[in-house]
Amino acid sequence: MANTNTSVGTKIKRPLSPHLQIYKPLINMVMSILHRITGAALYLGTVLLAWWLVAAASGPAEFRIASEFFGSTFGYLILFGYSWALIHHMLGGIRHFIWDTGRGLDIKTVDLLSWGTIVFSVALTLLVWFSVLVFG
Amino acid sequence: MNMRTPLKKVYHLGSAKEGASHFWLQRVSAVANLFLVIYLMGLIISLAGADYITVREALSYPLTALLLLLLILSGVIHMRLGMQTIIEDYIESEGTKIVALMLNTFFSVFIGAASVWAVLKLSFGA
Ligand code: HEM
C-alpha cells in the first residue's frame, strides 16, 4: 500500500499492483528470463570461443594451453553449460520466430512451446555430448 | 511556422532512436545465427579431442573459414544488439547507460576483431 496525501492532508492508502515476487512463477515467465540469461551467458562466453580461435592461430604451445583448459574437469563443466545455453537460446529464438508471425500466442500453445523449449534443450544437449563421445 | 510533419517530429524518438531497424537486424542476425551455430556445433563435435595439426587444417579449409567469418559477423551484430536491450532495460541513469552501451560496443568489436584475425591468420598466415 502506498501512502498518499489528499489535498486536505488526510492520508489514504492506495492499492499497488502486485509485484513479481508474489506471482506463482509460470513456465512462460521462466523461459522468458532464461532466454535473457542464456543470451547474456553466451555473450560473455564468446571470450572462450575467440580464445580458442586465437590460440589455434598462434601456434602449438598456445593451442596446448587452451586445449588443457577445455579438457579439464572445469573446462568440461563450462563447455557443457555453454552448449546447453546455446541450444536453449536457439530453441527460444525459434519460439520467438513463431510468435513473430503472430501464431502460437494463445495460452495453451505458449505453455506447450515453453515446456518444449526446456525439454528439447536438455535432450539435444545430451545428444550433442553423446555425439562427442561417439565421434570425438 | 513549423513546416515539419508530425511523423517527422516523432521519427527517431523511440527509446533506441532508430525505429524498427534494431528489431529487424536482431531478427536477421538471429536467423543467420540459427544456421551458422548449428554448423559450428557440428564442426566442434567433429574436432573434439583432435590434435593441433588436424584443428589447424580443418579451420583453414576455405568453406569452413568463410562460414566462420560469417558466423563471427552475425554473432557480433546479434550479441551487441541483444546486450543493448538488456542495458536499456535495467540501467536507468543516463550517464551510466551511455558508458555501458559504449563498453558493449567495444567488447563486441574486440571479440569480432580477435576472431576474424585468428581465422584470417589460419587461412593465409604462415
Ligand atoms: C543460435 C542461434 C540464435 C538464435 C536463433 C537467437 C535468437 C534470438 C532472438 C530471437 C532474440 C530476441 C528475443 C526478444 O526479442 O526478446 C535473441 C536475443 C538475444 N540473443 Fe540470441 N540467438 C542466437 C544466438 C545467440 C548468441 C550466439 C548470442 C551471444 C553470443 C546471443 C545473445 C543474445 C542476447 C544477449 C539477447 C538479448 C536477450 C534479451 O533481450 O533478453 N544469441 N536471440
Side-chain angles (χ1 to χ4, degrees):
Chain A
M1 291 281 169
N3 292 319
T4 317
N5 288 317
T6 62
S7 52
V8 285
T10 50
K11 279 185 192 284
I12 51 168
K13 287 200 183 291
R14 295 191 187 282
L16 288 175
S17 60
H19 265 286
L20 201 57
Q21 306 93 288
I22 77 162
Y23 282 114
K24 174 171 169 285
L26 301 170
I27 186 69
N28 56 329
M29 294 161 59
V30 178
M31 288 311 115
S32 166
I33 194 61
L34 269 183
H35 191 77
R36 173 157 286 189
I37 292 170
T38 51
L42 294 173
Y43 180 97
L44 296 176
T46 55
V47 169
L48 296 176
L49 228 57
W51 178 35
W52 184 65
L53 286 174
V54 169
S58 300
E62 289 82 355
F63 188 71
R64 188 166 340 102
I65 299 174
S67 294
E68 268 166 22
F69 172 78
F70 289 120
S72 68
T73 312
F74 182 62
Y76 266 99
L77 224 65
I78 299 263
L79 286 179
F80 188 80
Y82 200 79
S83 62
W84 173 76
L86 190 56
I87 289 169
H88 189 276
H89 186 90
M90 190 165 83
L91 294 176
I94 294 174
R95 198 177 37 144
H96 272 283
F97 298 153
I98 298 172
W99 286 335
D100 286 348
T101 69
R103 271 166 275 230
L105 287 162
D106 58 295
I107 305 284
K108 236 184 98 196
T109 315
V110 165
D111 282 353
L112 192 74
L113 288 174
S114 302
W115 279 111
T117 312
I118 188 75
V119 170
F120 272 98
S121 71
V122 173
L124 283 177
T125 307
L126 294 176
L127 187 72
V128 161
W129 284 86
F130 184 71
S131 325
V132 170
L133 289 181
V134 175
F135 304 113
Chain B
M1 199 176 84
N2 196 335
M3 301 287 281
R4 291 179 170 206
T5 64
L7 177 63
K8 180 69 193 171
K9 281 186 209 155
V10 298
Y11 204 57
H12 285 172
L13 284 184
S15 64
K17 319 268 186 285
E18 53 182 31
S21 74
H22 175 112
F23 173 83
W24 186 240
L25 200 50
Q26 177 81 359
R27 296 302 138 136
V28 173
S29 61
V31 173
N33 276 354
L34 177 61
F35 294 106
L36 294 166
V37 159
I38 291 174
Y39 170 77
L40 177 76
M41 289 196 286
L43 180 70
I44 291 181
I45 290 172
S46 74
L47 287 178
D51 61 40
Y52 180 63
I53 303 292
T54 315
V55 171
R56 264 200 89 108
E57 259 173 25
L59 295 184
S60 55
Y61 181 73
L63 186 59
T64 306
L66 195 62
L67 290 172
L68 282 176
L69 289 174
L70 292 176
L71 173 61
I72 295 164
L73 181 68
S74 72
V76 163
I77 291 173
H78 180 87
M79 70 191 240
R80 176 172 166 271
L81 290 174
M83 189 51 77
Q84 182 186 330
T85 308
I86 297 180
I87 291 169
E88 286 164 352
D89 278 357
Y90 298 132
I91 299 186
E92 279 170 24
S93 131
E94 199 61 28
T96 318
K97 190 191 297 178
I98 288 173
V99 172
L101 289 175
M102 215 182 261
L103 290 176
N104 178 34
T105 301
F106 290 165
F107 178 81
S108 305
V109 170
F110 178 76
I111 291 291
S115 309
V116 166
W117 173 82
V119 173
L120 292 182
K121 182 159 190 297
L122 283 160
S123 297
F124 305 121

